[in-house]
Structures are given as C-alpha cells and as structure tokens.
Amino acid sequence: MNNNISFTSRIRLVPLEEYTRLIFPLNQRLYAKPPWTVNQSVLADSAYTKDILDCTVCGITDGQKVLLNHICPTNPANDNFGKIADFIRSKIDLTGDYIQGFLLGSKEVKDSPNSTKLFDKFVEFLNSYNVPFSQFKGGPYENHVAYFSLKDEWIISNSSVKDRMQKAFKKPEPIFENIFDKVKICDLDEICW
C-alpha cells in the first residue's frame, strides 16, 4: 500500500491569474488540447485543459496519476461514446482501490444539442463502475481545469471567480453553487478556498 495516497481530493476555485501561474510549470504534453477527442487525453501525474464551454471534462485519478479527457460534443469523432469508454478502460483500472472521478461541463445551447447527453453518458459510465466522483454541470462561464497529484487537488477557474471571491463569502460552497447549475460533491472530496 502506498502511504502517500490521499483519500480526500481537494477542489478549489481560483482566479484566472492564479490558474495561469499554477499551470505555467506544466509543459504542453500535459495539456488536453483541441480538437478535444480521446486522442488529446492526458495520462500523467498532473494535467490541465482550458476553454470548457459545452464540452465535458472527465478526470479519473488512481492516487498517482490522472487520466484527463476533454471531449467536445460537436466533434463527430466523439459521436460513439462506446469508443470513448473503451479508451478510458484501456488507460486506467477503474476497479482499483483509490479510483476517484471528476466531471465538469455541459451547457444547454441550441448549436450543441448533444452537450448534456454527453455529460450524462459520463455520469452513467462512472456510476456503472462505482467510481466516486464530484460533478459541476452547466453554468454560463468558460471554465479551465487542472489536476495536481502531488497535492491531490483539482483547480477550477473562470472569469467570474476573482469577483466572487472578493464578495467575502465565508464558505466556498455558495460560490460553486452560484457558478454552476448543478454541484454534487462526493464524500471523498472537499471543496475549499
């Protein structure tokens, strides 16, 4: 057993300036970049992605590494969710003791009718393997996400975070609930400043 594995992942909202500072040391190979198919997924100890609008970001960590997928619902390469599921299963053992997930994305917009369906397929997929996961669905903002295994920490950023943090909320929960349409935090995660 690895004694360095944390059982509680932290999830933090950070202003864009802090997000940029935190991802700066990471190189391009750790970036899940356009055109946002499984081919651009990252399996590493840290990973990041940007510009999440109607896409779904699925991160799965085993306590040592993260598989970060940024999947675009309007890209025809992503129409077959079975291929996405096969890819994930080929990269990470979903039955491991320390598996945890993270979902963010989805918007109900006219020019992306499959956005919510894609997010819901990821929910069904993670549930089918009993993977505990937190989810952040919808909201009007373009989000950016990163994961750092050394701290077992997810960070989320968008253009509204700095202003919202300055409003002196006593707890982070109201900010998350104000930014996203649906927030569900699993028992193995904690949201914090």
Side-chain angles (χ1 to χ4, degrees):
M1 183 170 134
N2 186 338
N3 292 329
N4 295 326
I5 293 175
S6 168
F7 293 103
T8 303
S9 294
R10 292 173 20 139
I11 302 171
R12 283 194 307 136
L13 280 171
V14 299
L16 287 172
E17 298 83 10
E18 185 174 351
Y19 177 85
T20 301
R21 181 184 60 78
L22 289 168
I23 67 164
F24 182 76
L26 305 179
N27 66 43
Q28 280 290 103
R29 71 175 178 76
L30 301 176
Y31 173 40
K33 58 187 173 283
W36 298 311
T37 71
V38 291
N39 295 329
Q40 290 76 43
S41 298
V42 175
L43 179 62
D45 59 352
S46 296
Y48 68 100
T49 192
K50 301 187 269 187
D51 308 319
I52 307 152
L53 290 168
D54 58 334
C55 299
T56 294
V57 169
C58 177
I60 303 172
T61 179
D62 63 4
Q64 307 256 326
K65 292 189 176 201
V66 65
L67 175 63
L68 186 67
N69 301 280
H70 182 157
I71 306 297
C72 177
T74 60
N75 186 327
N78 298 324
D79 287 348
N80 184 341
F81 190 80
K83 288 183 180 179
I84 296 169
D86 289 345
F87 176 86
I88 293 170
R89 284 188 292 263
S90 75
K91 297 294 180 186
I92 198 159
D93 178 9
L94 296 169
T95 62
D97 291 336
Y98 304 109
I99 294 294
Q100 287 180 245
F102 173 94
L103 280 181
L104 182 143
S106 175
K107 290 196 188 330
E108 291 191 29
V109 291
K110 185 174 150 184
D111 58 343
S112 185
N114 293 324
S115 178
T116 299
K117 292 176 190 171
L118 177 64
F119 188 94
D120 293 343
K121 286 180 182 178
F122 273 102
V123 169
E124 290 173 22
F125 176 75
L126 293 174
N127 282 334
S128 73
Y129 283 91
N130 296 314
V131 173
F133 65 98
S134 291
Q135 59 179 294
F136 305 88
K137 187 174 185 180
Y141 302 101
E142 177 181 82
N143 292 290
H144 315 288
V145 170
Y147 176 79
F148 302 94
S149 64
L150 191 61
K151 293 182 176 182
D152 192 10
E153 178 177 72
W154 291 96
I155 61 169
I156 302 169
S157 186
N158 65 49
S159 61
S160 76
V161 172
K162 185 175 185 177
D163 181 53
R164 291 172 193 280
M165 291 179 87
Q166 290 175 347
K167 292 187 178 182
F169 285 100
K170 294 182 180 179
K171 305 185 297 184
E173 289 85 352
I175 299 175
F176 281 91
E177 292 166 357
N178 195 263
I179 289 175
F180 298 100
D181 297 332
K182 179 179 181 180
V183 175
K184 186 176 177 187
I185 307 300
C186 84
D187 292 340
L188 299 176
D189 291 339
E190 66 178 1
I191 56 176
C192 56
W193 298 113

